[in-house]
């Protein structure tokens, strides 16, 4: 008989607080965690005003030693700046108060410093609020890195609902794209014998399904929408923790999105009305196409995205048809070792064009 040699490490958040006005519980949360008295609040200019200042005040009142650091884009430089500052000030707890970039910078700095990381999202633009991965920007797009898993998450739906609705819709699209990610993972398991966790897959699909089923209830100016989105993101983060990698939430649709980032701002149609597309928006559009390739219910994905108010067509995010096709053709270059429906060589230009047309993306 073969000896049993399997072993696995799963890291989960110890405490998750979600709901209305939860900001007020931040000091109690830090008390319970009991990992030190000196806290660094990392925020950007906006999120400092939105929530950082309030948290600073509450923690100070509870006798914490609180420092603050303002950051901007998620780059290596910014992470290093935070690490330096935290070291100099003997920080014991790293707290990221903000959107994707702030959270990513803080969780990477916490990882390097080997300090606990508390995630305090002020928007729900992607599933990074609960995941152990972070993405850093560089001149040629972005790169995904291992980072500190949040020891605790505190999400205040009263704060999150104030963020632009586009961010929330994009975050929902990011979670819905778990559907194609899981299909890719199953395929890699069947075809390449890649290790697969059915529990992680079920969790990732449950998160997506929650949003597919409640698409009509996700709308602007609704605190319940923020609740649903954050809940789905946390379940998605847990799926990644169970898997020990991003497989349950990142497949060919994410490669397509990363390739669009890699192709740079030149992918945009001319015209002032377009803002740079968001990560989740690109992943949602990618998911429509990849689920089609898998033979799944891509129309359900498309219709739910529409209901939520997330884009389903290239022109809605200002990307030219040519670049959508190029993004599809070259997506597989992003992570050649991660087997997906795009196969080992990627799509041909004709196949990519046909796919984008059939699904109504272009
Ligand atoms: Zn994502």
């Amino acid at each position: 008989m073969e000896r049993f040699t399997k072993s696995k490490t799963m890291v989960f958040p110890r405490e998750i607080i979600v709901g209305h006005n939860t900001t007020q519980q931040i000091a109690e949360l830090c008390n319970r965690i009991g990992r030190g008295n000196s806290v660094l609040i990392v925020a950007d200019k906006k999120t400092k005003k939105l929530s950082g200042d309030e948290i600073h005040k509450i923690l100070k009142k509870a006798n914490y030693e609180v420092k603050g650091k303002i950051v901007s884009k998620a780059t290596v430089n910014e992470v290093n700046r935070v690490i330096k500052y935290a070291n100099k000030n003997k920080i014991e707890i790293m707290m990221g108060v903000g959107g994707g970039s702030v959270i990513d910078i803080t969780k990477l700095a916490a990882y390097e410093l080997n300090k606990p990381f508390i995630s305090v999202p002020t928007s729900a633009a992607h599933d990074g609020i609960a995941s152990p991965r972070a993405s850093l920007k560089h001149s040629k797009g972005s790169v995904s890195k291992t980072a500190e898993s949040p020891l605790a998450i505190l999400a205040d739906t009263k704060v999150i609902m104030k963020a632009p609705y586009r961010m929330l819709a994009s975050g929902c699209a990011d979670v819905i794209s778990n559907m194609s990610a899981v299909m890719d993972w199953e395929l890699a398991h069947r075809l390449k014998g890649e290790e697969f966790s059915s529990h992680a897959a079920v969790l990732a699909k449950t998160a997506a399904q929650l949003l597919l089923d409640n698409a009509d209830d996700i709308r602007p100016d609704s605190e319940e929408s923020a609740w649903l989105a954050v809940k789905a993101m946390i379940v998605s983060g847990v799926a990644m923790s169970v898997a020990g990698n991003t497989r349950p939430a990142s497949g060919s649709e994410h490669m397509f999105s990363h390739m669009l980032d890699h192709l740079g701002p030149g992918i945009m149609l001319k015209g002032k009305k377009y803002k740079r597309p968001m990560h989740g928006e690109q992943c949602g559009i990618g998911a429509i196409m990849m689920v089609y390739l898998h033979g799944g219910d891509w129309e359900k994905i498309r219709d739910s995205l529409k209901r939520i108010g997330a884009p389903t067509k290239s022109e809605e995010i200002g990307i030219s048809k040519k670049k959508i096709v190029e993004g599809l053709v070259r997506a597989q270059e992003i992570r050649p070792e991660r087997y997906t429906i795009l196969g080992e060589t990627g799509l041909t230009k004709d196949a990519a064009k046909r796919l984008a047309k059939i699904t109504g993306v272009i």
Side-chain angles (χ1 to χ4, degrees), residues 125-128 171 173-175 177-178 240 249-250 253-254 257-258 279-280 283:
H126 63 71
D127 62 16
D174 193 19
V175 175
S177 83
N178 288 0
M240 286 186 257
S250 173
E253 77 298 321
H254 269 65
S257 168
H258 290 312
H279 167 80
C283 292

Side-chain angles (χ1 to χ4, degrees), residues 40-105:
L40 177 62
I41 299 177
V42 181
D44 63 26
K45 275 184 200 151
K46 270 191 196 158
T47 61
K48 177 181 181 287
K49 268 193 210 144
L50 190 67
S51 192
D53 288 342
E54 170 88 4
I55 289 175
H56 199 123
K57 218 167 62 192
I58 297 171
L59 287 175
K60 232 171 170 174
K61 222 171 143 188
N63 291 322
Y64 278 90
E65 216 170 281
V66 196
K67 297 274 183 207
K69 191 87 190 143
I70 301 286
V71 294
S72 55
K73 268 190 192 149
T75 60
V76 178
N77 274 349
E78 285 292 83
V79 175
N80 287 337
R81 220 161 53 83
V82 172
I83 291 173
K84 225 169 135 187
Y85 185 84
N87 268 328
K88 207 175 99 192
N89 290 283
K90 302 205 165 43
I91 296 297
E92 292 162 307
I93 298 172
M94 301 290 289
M95 190 179 288
V97 179
S101 299
V102 170
I103 299 283
D104 280 357
I105 292 168

Side-chain angles (χ1 to χ4, degrees), residues 127-149:
D127 62 16
I129 62 173
S131 80
R133 300 290 299 183
S135 75
L136 276 185
K137 289 185 179 63
H138 55 80
S139 56
K140 283 230 169 293
S142 58
V143 57
S144 170
K145 295 191 135 216
T146 304
E148 192 67 25
S149 242

Side-chain angles (χ1 to χ4, degrees), residues 104-224:
D104 280 357
I105 292 168
T106 319
K107 74 163 85 144
L108 278 168
Y111 183 70
E112 294 295 331
L113 291 159
N114 197 19
K115 296 285 177 213
F117 160 58
I118 301 184
S119 174
V120 185
T122 55
S123 61
H126 63 71
D127 62 16
I129 62 173
S131 80
R133 300 290 299 183
S135 75
L136 276 185
K137 289 185 179 63
H138 55 80
S139 56
K140 283 230 169 293
S142 58
V143 57
S144 170
K145 295 191 135 216
T146 304
E148 192 67 25
S149 242
L151 180 63
I153 303 166
L154 183 135
D156 190 334
T157 47
K158 191 175 108 185
V159 172
I160 290 169
M161 75 167 286
K162 285 186 204 150
Y165 180 71
R166 187 182 172 198
M167 296 177 112
L168 190 92
S170 171
C172 290
D174 193 19
V175 175
I176 286 174
S177 83
N178 288 0
M179 284 303 190
S180 47
V182 170
M183 286 172 165
D184 282 330
W185 194 16
E186 282 166 341
L187 185 69
H189 173 63
R190 288 196 296 260
L191 217 52
K192 300 279 169 185
E194 189 178 313
E195 192 169 334
F196 177 79
S197 156
S198 49
H199 283 104
V202 166
L203 281 167
K205 283 198 274 188
T206 304
Q209 199 65 49
L210 178 76
L211 300 177
L212 292 170
D213 292 344
N214 291 285
D216 286 327
D217 293 326
I218 297 168
R219 52 193 154 73
D221 299 319
S222 140
E223 195 164 341
E224 201 190 343

